[in-house]
Amino acid sequence: MKRLLLLSFSLACFQAFSQAPDKNKLEQLTEKHWQHGVELLQEIVSMPNNAVFPEQIEVNIKWSEDQFESRGYSSERLATGGIPLLLVEKKQPGATKTALFYFHMDGQAVDLSKWFQADPYKPVLKEIQENGEWTKIPSDRLKTEYDPNWRIFARSTSDDKGPVAMFLTAWDALAEAGISPDYNVKIILDFEEEQGSPRLPSAVVKYKEKLAADMMLIMDGPRHTSNEPTLSFGARGIADLTLTTYGPKFPQHSGHYGNYAPNPALLLSQLLASMKDTNGRVTIPGYYDGITLTQTEKEILSKVPDDEEAIQRKLGIGRTDNVGNSYQESIQYPSLNIRGLESAWVGKEARTIVPATATAEIDVRLVPESDPERLFGLIKDHIEGQGFHIVSEDPTDEQRMNHPKIVKMVYSISYQAFRTPMDSETGKWLRSAMNRAFGKDPVQIRISGGSIPISPFVDALGIPAVTIPTVNADNNQHSPNENIRLGNYKEGITTVMSILTEKTQDMIRLK
Amino acid sequence: MKRLLLLSFSLACFQAFSQAPDKNKLEQLTEKHWQHGVELLQEIVSMPNNAVFPEQIEVNIKWSEDQFESRGYSSERLATGGIPLLLVEKKQPGATKTALFYFHMDGQAVDLSKWFQADPYKPVLKEIQENGEWTKIPSDRLKTEYDPNWRIFARSTSDDKGPVAMFLTAWDALAEAGISPDYNVKIILDFEEEQGSPRLPSAVVKYKEKLAADMMLIMDGPRHTSNEPTLSFGARGIADLTLTTYGPKFPQHSGHYGNYAPNPALLLSQLLASMKDTNGRVTIPGYYDGITLTQTEKEILSKVPDDEEAIQRKLGIGRTDNVGNSYQESIQYPSLNIRGLESAWVGKEARTIVPATATAEIDVRLVPESDPERLFGLIKDHIEGQGFHIVSEDPTDEQRMNHPKIVKMVYSISYQAFRTPMDSETGKWLRSAMNRAFGKDPVQIRISGGSIPISPFVDALGIPAVTIPTVNADNNQHSPNENIRLGNYKEGITTVMSILTEKTQDMIRLK
């Protein structure tokens, strides 16, 4: 017992006073271990992981338990009423800080017909040809060769099993070198992220004591499109809104009732057109309230090396919406995006009718300044101001006869935005780690446009959260032929090692 | 030879000087023959007649040839390059006038799953129950019983084989009574009407000499909703327009590009909203030019016994568009009806994207005053005035980069409207026949809202055309469970007899 205490004490001293490995040392460790890391990656992506099929997920949960337990972690399934969350934990003697890492193990569904390989769950190594096509090369070549631009293709290589494999590889490399973090590591593994993590928010509240930590480090998502090392300090939240307008109760012959029965598609167009101007700015008063970008903030945003001309060329757009003065500025604001429209039929299915209904699907990306309930209140007021009677169910006959314009408004708030100050201690601490690994400041994103279910953690645990994305931006995430660039995989291992070896004792100094 | 001439002469004299059968006589003849007529109806609807399948249509053509030839008609298939038209003709000795009747023998497709009978081509006699449901009763009951509200259910009972069977029955009844028309009868049978009669317009021009007549009598479509005997003096024409707007080249993540990549669904909504006001009136200058309803015309329109309150209740609309001051007035104007909208997905399929395109399908019902090319010219000018660059194919990369707002505009004109003056000699002649049959003026529709392919005849042959609709308005035309009300079938036989016995010698007097 005494011996054990002594050992713990000496280890703690070693961590506290030893130098964190420098850039060279991190590169050496990466070089020694990346091939083992690729094997781990190949193993992890070989397990189908569509969360629509709980039996697939169970295999992934069991695998995760085994992997972390074999590395000395404790593990616990957190019951959610459906697919559980997995919390694994490794305490460090003498540690005063705890970092909570977030990964997810489930992947998007696969549409086999659109993959250029027989099985999206059998990883394939590919090399790009001069004509821009990816062709298969033998995996064996990785034993003696390395090209950072080679890629491994399989579902979840980037989103998000690649980062899990990077973490395990980094852990193994450090363990072999006798290096441990000077802080406690908790890892929450989500197995339903691609389903919108429906059970996560309430689970986070329920298990807030088990999850307690000083900071949250999210290992998900792609680097900035420049493919430079990146830190992302927040993500927009997301809510959605469905608007349905009503014409005749059933579709009517457009000859008999065109010019007579009010057309729901016209009503919907008029309503949508009333919400935004030709520059794509929301015209509903108050929608952007509370958002002011100071000169300092604008400078931070302008440091992100976006090539806007290239973005616009890639997207095939001759102009952009004018919500902000740049790409980074535009995503500091909440959006109001028509993601889908439908009324009766188009194309060969088109029929000569006055449709019965028209529907618009809208998504609203949220920023910390925009309380979603406030936004939906403004939208509601605006719609009523346009002369619409708002219902929450299809209108009754009586409602139809009593109200000239009716719209069904249904909305749901998935989760809020989060944004951690760049000059927080967590921000400074991570910048320090990245600088040690790469000899330069990372690209720093104030808030990313997309959404990740992190605000429940931020809110329930009251901790700062920062995303450390590692994978290439062109990884075909959510699409067929998902892949990870070998260079990103290696640098990802280096990145994780830099973070696991960054001293938390220094955090106070950085404050 | 001499005898034959003499016979012809005496027949002509008989026709010229004999009295046309009065209301009683017509009713007696109908009473004697309607059961035979029902058998004929049951036979005619038993032949499947979806023009997508030419082998089905061939059976219908052959049947028609046999039927008319056995009644002394000559017949000729008019080649069209596809399914032919059938022209049958019966000359009358001494006749100075020729009437061209129009029927079609093809029917809408059938969706078996939605019919409440095993086979839509096996007619079923039904009676309505107190709960509003139609239940089958034995056809045999027709041998001894009659209820005008019983209905025969089968595809094409109303649209448009019912009228063909009425015609043949009326012909047989008159023939047995020794009565012939005092004019030549030509009948054009269309076998592709439900396909939009694609080959009809050019065929009419090609065969204009064979089709030559003094008037065209269209036996298709339902009576006025009051179910009173009806004459319809015209029909709106039809054209269609497809508008497609463009956002990013491929759908983009709405988090990454919401607020940045212009949204095609917003562009389309703004464009559509710019075309009509909140009362459904087209705001494009000149769209309604040339249409002025005089006090006389407004009076004619107001005589139609529309129960607008009932229409609005049935449609479930608390207001109407405000193009005209009444239902009849509204259809005197061209329409601009959004018949379909689509952009990406709605409902469970909705995805968090900025869509790549948005499409609106529009149909334009035409009136004689509205040259469709002029209307589309106005629409084009208006769209350009909204800042759009108009293309006819999906835009190239260069077009995308050079034009901030792009719309693809594709339109096609099916056929124009026609409208025969109510006080034309044909109008007076038909009114006289209907008065003789029913003892009252028919409901007279100046122009019907829907479209029928008659303007090619009117234009090529230079003759007036009037529709004599006979079937019940609630016949489920174009829908599952098409039917004909027995009372309408009987009155339809009477109607045809009244027309076949109306004297054309009187037409001059009526002028």
Side-chain angles (χ1 to χ4, degrees), chain A residues 4 7 10 36 90 140 218 414 427 438 460 464 489 496 506:
Chain A
L4 197 70
L7 182 69
S10 66
H36 154 64
K90 174 83 173 164
D140 275 2
I218 303 135
S414 296
F438 299 107
Y489 189 65
V496 175
D506 298 345

Coordinates of all heavy atoms in Angstrom, one line a residue, chain A residues 4 7 10 36 90 140 218 414 427 438 460 464 489 496 506:
Chain A
L4 N 2.6 1.6 -3.3 CA 1.7 2.1 -4.4 C 1.6 3.6 -4.3 O 1.6 4.3 -5.3 CB 0.3 1.4 -4.2 CG -0.6 1.5 -5.5 CD1 0.0 0.6 -6.6 CD2 -2.0 1.0 -5.1
L7 N 4.7 5.2 -5.5 CA 4.8 5.1 -7.0 C 3.9 6.2 -7.6 O 4.3 7.0 -8.5 CB 4.3 3.7 -7.5 CG 4.3 3.5 -9.0 CD1 5.8 3.4 -9.5 CD2 3.6 2.2 -9.3
S10 N 5.6 9.5 -7.2 CA 6.7 9.8 -8.1 C 6.2 10.0 -9.5 O 6.8 10.8 -10.3 CB 7.7 8.6 -8.0 OG 7.1 7.4 -8.6
H36 N 0.7 1.0 -37.0 CA -0.2 0.3 -36.1 C -1.5 1.1 -36.0 O -2.6 0.5 -35.9 CB 0.5 0.3 -34.7 CG -0.4 0.3 -33.5 ND1 -1.2 -0.8 -33.2 CD2 -0.6 1.2 -32.5 CE1 -1.9 -0.5 -32.1 NE2 -1.5 0.7 -31.7
K90 N -10.1 7.5 -17.2 CA -8.8 7.1 -16.7 C -8.3 8.3 -15.8 O -8.0 9.4 -16.3 CB -7.8 6.9 -17.9 CG -6.4 6.7 -17.6 CD -6.1 5.2 -17.2 CE -4.6 5.0 -17.1 NZ -4.4 3.7 -16.4
D140 N -0.8 -3.3 -48.5 CA 0.6 -3.8 -48.1 C 1.6 -2.7 -48.4 O 2.6 -2.7 -47.7 CB 0.9 -5.0 -49.0 CG 0.4 -6.3 -48.4 OD1 -0.3 -6.2 -47.3 OD2 0.6 -7.4 -48.9
I218 N -13.8 18.3 -28.2 CA -14.6 17.6 -29.1 C -13.8 17.1 -30.3 O -13.2 18.0 -31.0 CB -15.8 18.5 -29.6 CG1 -16.6 18.9 -28.4 CG2 -16.7 17.7 -30.6 CD1 -16.9 20.4 -28.5
S414 N -33.6 21.7 -31.7 CA -32.8 20.6 -31.4 C -31.8 20.9 -30.3 O -31.8 20.3 -29.3 CB -32.0 20.1 -32.6 OG -32.9 19.7 -33.6
G427 N -8.7 27.8 -24.4 CA -8.3 28.2 -25.7 C -6.8 28.4 -25.7 O -6.1 27.9 -26.6
F438 N 3.0 21.7 -34.1 CA 3.1 22.1 -35.5 C 4.0 23.4 -35.7 O 4.2 23.8 -36.8 CB 1.8 22.3 -36.1 CG 0.9 21.1 -36.1 CD1 -0.1 20.9 -35.2 CD2 1.3 20.0 -36.9 CE1 -0.8 19.7 -35.1 CE2 0.5 18.8 -36.8 CZ -0.5 18.7 -36.0
A460 N -25.2 21.9 -19.1 CA -25.4 21.1 -17.9 C -24.1 21.1 -17.0 O -24.2 21.1 -15.8 CB -25.8 19.7 -18.3
P464 N -16.2 25.1 -20.5 CA -15.9 25.5 -21.9 C -15.7 24.3 -22.8 O -15.3 23.2 -22.3 CB -14.6 26.3 -21.8 CG -14.0 25.7 -20.5 CD -15.1 25.3 -19.6
Y489 N -4.4 11.7 -41.0 CA -4.5 10.7 -40.0 C -3.3 10.8 -39.1 O -3.4 10.8 -37.9 CB -4.7 9.3 -40.6 CG -5.0 8.3 -39.6 CD1 -6.1 8.3 -38.8 CD2 -4.0 7.3 -39.3 CE1 -6.4 7.4 -37.9 CE2 -4.3 6.3 -38.3 CZ -5.5 6.4 -37.6 OH -5.7 5.4 -36.6
V496 N -3.4 14.6 -31.1 CA -3.9 14.1 -29.9 C -2.8 14.0 -28.9 O -2.9 14.3 -27.7 CB -4.5 12.7 -30.1 CG1 -5.0 12.0 -28.8 CG2 -5.8 12.8 -31.0
D506 N -0.1 24.4 -16.1 CA 0.2 25.7 -16.8 C -1.1 26.5 -17.0 O -1.0 27.7 -17.4 CB 0.9 25.5 -18.1 CG 2.2 24.8 -17.9 OD1 2.7 24.7 -16.7 OD2 2.8 24.3 -18.9

